[in-house]
């Protein structure tokens, strides 16, 4: 029999993706994280000595923080290991080839070194968020394998953000978010991330924010991000109008801001105008004074800046009218004579003058 001669015209420039990755990891991961993982796989076959976090971000149209979030996610899933230098900064990474059975993790790793300073990010700077929304109505039973795995990942992430080993209270609180409040895992991660970024690592503060989100019906990262953006914009506008720099709003100040925006329903331009008038009148920031102005505007039915202008015009007219009325009441009548009339005997006066001479 004649030997067959095979010719390979198949494109060999390809990247192999494990079936285990597709079956067990890809479906539950954020799509942006999957893109980062595939990008790393592609560069394993053709190592790039100049590969940097900045380069990865540019190629994938991500930010560097997005890339670092992906690193942290795959590290929590056991598919990637971050390597650190003596200063605790990322110097490289290793991709782990993991089977679907967690007991058969292979020991071989392939490392990709980062060559410049753009990759030297602090581990504590890495943050993690997903945009995949998990409806609260589809809560996962805590006893299930998936719930246990997600909760384990949450506790790991929380330790990295908080920079400490979690206490029993910490773990119970995070479990409460997941099991009782039925917050999706990605929402809890975003919650912890945003609190830490704002300088709050207290688990009691984090719980306070979680409960406020729950009361306000926030059930997804998208909703939480919109809420945070609105909160930050409102606080910045008010504090900036008062000339307050380099700090956030205190609790009492935040209560005023929420009252003005939520209870009164005022837009930021109206609130800013009240703050400006407060500074002009008192020469210092006063939330109480601004609150009085806004209460009066709310009672007067103000909805726009033009409404305020109308009120100002009416007030000035009334002021002038009252001033004129007061002035008229104090002015003497032109036809009246306030001097006491006296009668004189002109003949007697003339006689006195003659005798005196």
């Amino acid at each position: 029999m004649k030997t067959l001669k095979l010719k390979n015209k198949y494109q060999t420039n390809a990247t192999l993706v494990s079936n285990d990755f597709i079956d067990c990891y890809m479906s539950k991961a954020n799509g942006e994280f999957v893109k980062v993982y595939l990008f790393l796989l592609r560069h394993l076959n053709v190592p790039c000595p100049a590969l940097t976090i900045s380069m990865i971000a540019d190629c994938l149209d991500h930010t560097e923080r997005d890339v670092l979030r992906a690193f942290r996610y795959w590290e929590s899933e056991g598919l990637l290991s971050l390597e650190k230098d003596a200063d605790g900064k990322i110097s490289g990474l290793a991709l782990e080839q993991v089977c679907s059975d967690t007991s058969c993790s292979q020991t071989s790793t392939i490392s990709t070194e980062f060559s410049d300073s753009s990759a030297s990010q602090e581990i504590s700077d890495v943050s993690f968020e997903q945009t995949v929304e998990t409806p609260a109505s589809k809560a996962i039973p805590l006893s299930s394998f998936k719930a246990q795995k997600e909760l384990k990942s949450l506790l790991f992430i929380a330790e990295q953000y908080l920079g400490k080993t979690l206490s029993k209270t910490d773990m119970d609180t995070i479990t409460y978010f997941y099991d009782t409040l039925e917050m999706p895992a990605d929402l809890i991660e975003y919650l912890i991330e945003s609190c830490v970024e704002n300088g709050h690592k207290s688990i009691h503060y984090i719980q306070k924010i979680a409960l406020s989100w729950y009361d306000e019906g926030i059930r997804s990262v998208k909703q939480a991000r919109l809420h945070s953006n609105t909160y930050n914009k409102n606080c910045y506008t008010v504090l900036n109008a008062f000339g307050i720099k380099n700090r956030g709003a205190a609790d009492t100040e935040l209560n005023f801001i929420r009252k003005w925006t939520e209870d009164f329903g005022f837009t930021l331009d109206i609130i800013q105008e009240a703050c400006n008038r407060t500074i002009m009148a008192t020469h210092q920031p006063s939330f109480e004074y601004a609150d009085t102005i806004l209460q009066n505007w709310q009672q007067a039915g103000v909805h726009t800046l033009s409404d305020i202008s109308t009120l100002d015009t009416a007030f000035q007219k009334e002021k002038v009218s009252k001033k004129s009325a007061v002035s008229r009441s104090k002015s003497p009548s032109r036809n009246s004579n306030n001097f006491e009339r006296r009668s004189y005997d002109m003949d007697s006066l003339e006689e006195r003058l003659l005798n005196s001479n």
Side-chain angles (χ1 to χ4, degrees), residues 102-116:
T102 56
S103 65
C104 64
S105 176
Q106 299 180 18
T107 57
S108 60
T109 63
I110 307 175
S111 299
T112 300
E113 298 293 335
F114 294 98
S115 64
D116 68 3

PDB file of all heavy atoms in Angstrom, residues 102-116:
ATOM      1  N   THR A 102     -10.807  19.934  41.782  1.00  0.00           N
ATOM      2  CA  THR A 102      -9.871  20.772  42.519  1.00  0.00           C
ATOM      3  C   THR A 102      -8.754  19.967  43.164  1.00  0.00           C
ATOM      4  O   THR A 102      -7.743  20.523  43.565  1.00  0.00           O
ATOM      5  CB  THR A 102     -10.609  21.547  43.620  1.00  0.00           C
ATOM      6  OG1 THR A 102     -11.298  20.627  44.469  1.00  0.00           O
ATOM      7  CG2 THR A 102     -11.603  22.518  43.007  1.00  0.00           C
ATOM      8  N   SER A 103      -8.904  18.661  43.272  1.00  0.00           N
ATOM      9  CA  SER A 103      -7.876  17.843  43.903  1.00  0.00           C
ATOM     10  C   SER A 103      -6.746  17.491  42.953  1.00  0.00           C
ATOM     11  O   SER A 103      -5.751  16.917  43.354  1.00  0.00           O
ATOM     12  CB  SER A 103      -8.502  16.552  44.453  1.00  0.00           C
ATOM     13  OG  SER A 103      -8.989  15.756  43.371  1.00  0.00           O
ATOM     14  N   CYS A 104      -6.896  17.819  41.656  1.00  0.00           N
ATOM     15  CA  CYS A 104      -5.873  17.400  40.701  1.00  0.00           C
ATOM     16  C   CYS A 104      -5.169  18.593  40.060  1.00  0.00           C
ATOM     17  O   CYS A 104      -4.882  18.595  38.881  1.00  0.00           O
ATOM     18  CB  CYS A 104      -6.470  16.512  39.618  1.00  0.00           C
ATOM     19  SG  CYS A 104      -7.688  17.348  38.586  1.00  0.00           S
ATOM     20  N   SER A 105      -4.974  19.625  40.851  1.00  0.00           N
ATOM     21  CA  SER A 105      -4.270  20.794  40.335  1.00  0.00           C
ATOM     22  C   SER A 105      -2.844  20.430  39.965  1.00  0.00           C
ATOM     23  O   SER A 105      -2.114  19.860  40.763  1.00  0.00           O
ATOM     24  CB  SER A 105      -4.263  21.895  41.402  1.00  0.00           C
ATOM     25  OG  SER A 105      -3.523  22.986  40.956  1.00  0.00           O
ATOM     26  N   GLN A 106      -2.469  20.739  38.726  1.00  0.00           N
ATOM     27  CA  GLN A 106      -1.136  20.409  38.273  1.00  0.00           C
ATOM     28  C   GLN A 106      -0.129  21.403  38.828  1.00  0.00           C
ATOM     29  O   GLN A 106      -0.438  22.552  39.077  1.00  0.00           O
ATOM     30  CB  GLN A 106      -1.084  20.419  36.740  1.00  0.00           C
ATOM     31  CG  GLN A 106      -2.031  19.402  36.113  1.00  0.00           C
ATOM     32  CD  GLN A 106      -1.945  19.443  34.613  1.00  0.00           C
ATOM     33  OE1 GLN A 106      -0.989  19.958  34.056  1.00  0.00           O
ATOM     34  NE2 GLN A 106      -2.943  18.889  33.955  1.00  0.00           N
ATOM     35  N   THR A 107       1.072  20.960  39.032  1.00  0.00           N
ATOM     36  CA  THR A 107       2.084  21.790  39.669  1.00  0.00           C
ATOM     37  C   THR A 107       2.856  22.635  38.677  1.00  0.00           C
ATOM     38  O   THR A 107       3.549  23.570  39.065  1.00  0.00           O
ATOM     39  CB  THR A 107       3.079  20.902  40.440  1.00  0.00           C
ATOM     40  OG1 THR A 107       3.655  19.966  39.522  1.00  0.00           O
ATOM     41  CG2 THR A 107       2.367  20.148  41.554  1.00  0.00           C
ATOM     42  N   SER A 108       2.763  22.322  37.374  1.00  0.00           N
ATOM     43  CA  SER A 108       3.530  23.082  36.402  1.00  0.00           C
ATOM     44  C   SER A 108       2.935  24.467  36.226  1.00  0.00           C
ATOM     45  O   SER A 108       1.734  24.636  36.131  1.00  0.00           O
ATOM     46  CB  SER A 108       3.527  22.357  35.048  1.00  0.00           C
ATOM     47  OG  SER A 108       2.210  22.212  34.583  1.00  0.00           O
ATOM     48  N   THR A 109       3.787  25.465  36.226  1.00  0.00           N
ATOM     49  CA  THR A 109       3.349  26.850  36.037  1.00  0.00           C
ATOM     50  C   THR A 109       4.201  27.502  34.969  1.00  0.00           C
ATOM     51  O   THR A 109       5.327  27.115  34.724  1.00  0.00           O
ATOM     52  CB  THR A 109       3.491  27.657  37.340  1.00  0.00           C
ATOM     53  OG1 THR A 109       4.871  27.704  37.702  1.00  0.00           O
ATOM     54  CG2 THR A 109       2.700  27.031  38.476  1.00  0.00           C
ATOM     55  N   ILE A 110       3.626  28.465  34.336  1.00  0.00           N
ATOM     56  CA  ILE A 110       4.340  29.230  33.327  1.00  0.00           C
ATOM     57  C   ILE A 110       4.297  30.679  33.752  1.00  0.00           C
ATOM     58  O   ILE A 110       3.228  31.222  33.988  1.00  0.00           O
ATOM     59  CB  ILE A 110       3.682  29.072  31.941  1.00  0.00           C
ATOM     60  CG1 ILE A 110       3.537  27.580  31.602  1.00  0.00           C
ATOM     61  CG2 ILE A 110       4.492  29.788  30.878  1.00  0.00           C
ATOM     62  CD1 ILE A 110       2.797  27.326  30.316  1.00  0.00           C
ATOM     63  N   SER A 111       5.441  31.306  33.861  1.00  0.00           N
ATOM     64  CA  SER A 111       5.499  32.664  34.371  1.00  0.00           C
ATOM     65  C   SER A 111       5.650  33.683  33.263  1.00  0.00           C
ATOM     66  O   SER A 111       6.302  33.440  32.263  1.00  0.00           O
ATOM     67  CB  SER A 111       6.663  32.809  35.359  1.00  0.00           C
ATOM     68  OG  SER A 111       6.494  31.937  36.457  1.00  0.00           O
ATOM     69  N   THR A 112       5.055  34.812  33.477  1.00  0.00           N
ATOM     70  CA  THR A 112       5.226  35.948  32.578  1.00  0.00           C
ATOM     71  C   THR A 112       5.759  37.101  33.409  1.00  0.00           C
ATOM     72  O   THR A 112       5.084  37.559  34.325  1.00  0.00           O
ATOM     73  CB  THR A 112       3.888  36.353  31.943  1.00  0.00           C
ATOM     74  OG1 THR A 112       3.376  35.253  31.209  1.00  0.00           O
ATOM     75  CG2 THR A 112       4.074  37.546  31.019  1.00  0.00           C
ATOM     76  N   GLU A 113       6.961  37.555  33.116  1.00  0.00           N
ATOM     77  CA  GLU A 113       7.578  38.628  33.881  1.00  0.00           C
ATOM     78  C   GLU A 113       7.189  39.979  33.291  1.00  0.00           C
ATOM     79  O   GLU A 113       7.040  40.133  32.088  1.00  0.00           O
ATOM     80  CB  GLU A 113       9.111  38.489  33.866  1.00  0.00           C
ATOM     81  CG  GLU A 113       9.622  37.198  34.501  1.00  0.00           C
ATOM     82  CD  GLU A 113       9.360  37.151  35.997  1.00  0.00           C
ATOM     83  OE1 GLU A 113       9.232  38.240  36.604  1.00  0.00           O
ATOM     84  OE2 GLU A 113       9.281  36.055  36.556  1.00  0.00           O
ATOM     85  N   PHE A 114       7.042  40.968  34.164  1.00  0.00           N
ATOM     86  CA  PHE A 114       6.786  42.330  33.721  1.00  0.00           C
ATOM     87  C   PHE A 114       8.099  43.084  33.745  1.00  0.00           C
ATOM     88  O   PHE A 114       8.845  43.031  34.716  1.00  0.00           O
ATOM     89  CB  PHE A 114       5.761  43.012  34.635  1.00  0.00           C
ATOM     90  CG  PHE A 114       4.410  42.377  34.549  1.00  0.00           C
ATOM     91  CD1 PHE A 114       4.000  41.444  35.484  1.00  0.00           C
ATOM     92  CD2 PHE A 114       3.565  42.700  33.506  1.00  0.00           C
ATOM     93  CE1 PHE A 114       2.759  40.855  35.388  1.00  0.00           C
ATOM     94  CE2 PHE A 114       2.314  42.125  33.417  1.00  0.00           C
ATOM     95  CZ  PHE A 114       1.918  41.193  34.358  1.00  0.00           C
ATOM     96  N   SER A 115       8.342  43.839  32.664  1.00  0.00           N
ATOM     97  CA  SER A 115       9.672  44.386  32.493  1.00  0.00           C
ATOM     98  C   SER A 115       9.844  45.828  32.927  1.00  0.00           C
ATOM     99  O   SER A 115      10.951  46.299  33.031  1.00  0.00           O
ATOM    100  CB  SER A 115      10.065  44.298  31.010  1.00  0.00           C
ATOM    101  OG  SER A 115       9.203  45.102  30.225  1.00  0.00           O
ATOM    102  N   ASP A 116       8.751  46.577  33.156  1.00  0.00           N
ATOM    103  CA  ASP A 116       8.980  47.962  33.521  1.00  0.00           C
ATOM    104  C   ASP A 116       8.175  48.349  34.744  1.00  0.00           C
ATOM    105  O   ASP A 116       7.424  47.555  35.295  1.00  0.00           O
ATOM    106  CB  ASP A 116       8.672  48.904  32.339  1.00  0.00           C
ATOM    107  CG  ASP A 116       7.186  48.939  32.007  1.00  0.00           C
ATOM    108  OD1 ASP A 116       6.398  48.288  32.712  1.00  0.00           O
ATOM    109  OD2 ASP A 116       6.838  49.639  31.059  1.00  0.00           O
TER     110      ASP A 116
END
